[in-house]
Amino acid sequence: MPSAQPINFNQRFSGQTAIVTGAGSGIGLATAAMIIRDGGRVIAVDLDENRLIQAKEELGESLLPLAIDITRKEAAAQIVQKAEFHVDILVNNAGIMDGFLPLVELDDLTWEHVLGVNMTAVMRLCRAALPHMLQAGHGSIVNVSSEASIRTCAGIAYTVSKHGVNGITKHVAAMYAKSGIRCNAVAPGAVDTNVGSDFRSEMAAQLLGPIMAATSPATAEPDLLARAICFLADDHAAKNINGVILPVDAGWSVL
C-alpha cells in the first residue's frame, strides 16, 4: 500500500480564500493572520475600518478589508461578492456581549442587537456562502460559539444566540456533509479580546460573578483560539470532523 503524501502545514491554505468576520482584532485578527501565514487570502470583515487598515498594514496584500455592518440584510451578499464568489473557508467570529442581563431585566433593543450580530448574521453568511461551496464541491465553515452554549455564564440574549449558533452548525453539517461541506464550531471560555463583558445586572454579578471567578481558568490569548479554528478549517487535519462543538476553554466545561 503506497504511503500517504506528506502535508506541508506551512502552506495548508495555499490557494484558498477565507472570509473572517470580526477580523479587525482579537480572535478574528489572529485567525486571519494564521490563514495568511499558511498560504491563504482573507476577506477581513469588521465594523471598524481603522482596525482593518491597521490589519492590512500588518498582514499585507493577502488581506482584503471590508468594513461593513454584518447585521444589514444585504451585508452577506456583499461579503461573498468581495470574495469573488469563491469561498473555501468561512469563519463566523464576530460577536457581542449582553451585559449579563437576565430575562426580567432584558430590553428588546439588547435582545435584537445581540441576536442580530451573534446568530442572524451567522445564518445569513452561511446561506450566502453555501451555494458557492456546493458548486465547488467542498468548503469549511467554522463558527465561534461560546462557553455560554454549554453552561450559564452570560445573559439571556447572549446565551440564546450561542445556542442558536450551535444549532446552525449542526444543521449545516447534517444537511450538506454528503456535498463536501464541513461545519464545526469552537466554544471559547474567557479570551483576551475587546468584547465588552461588564455586568449590567447587579443580580447577575452577585449570582454568576463568584462562580465564574472560582471556576474559570486563566484568560486565553486569541492565538489559542485561532489555532483551534484553523485546525477545524483545515481539510487535511480535520477532514473527518463535522458537526462538532469544540470547547476551547482549558477544561472549564468539565468543571
Side-chain angles (χ1 to χ4, degrees), residues 41 50 56 93 139 163 191 209 218 230:
R41 71 165 188 159
N50 291 329
K56 186 171 181 64
N93 164 71
H163 276 74
V191 184
C230 288

Side-chain angles (χ1 to χ4, degrees), residues 198-229:
D198 294 334
F199 283 95
R200 289 167 53 195
S201 165
E202 185 176 345
M203 173 188 174
Q206 291 176 352
L207 180 64
L208 298 179
I211 298 172
M212 292 172 66
T215 62
S216 178
T219 300
E221 292 297 321
D223 182 68
L224 294 177
L225 273 299
R227 294 179 202 177
I229 290 167

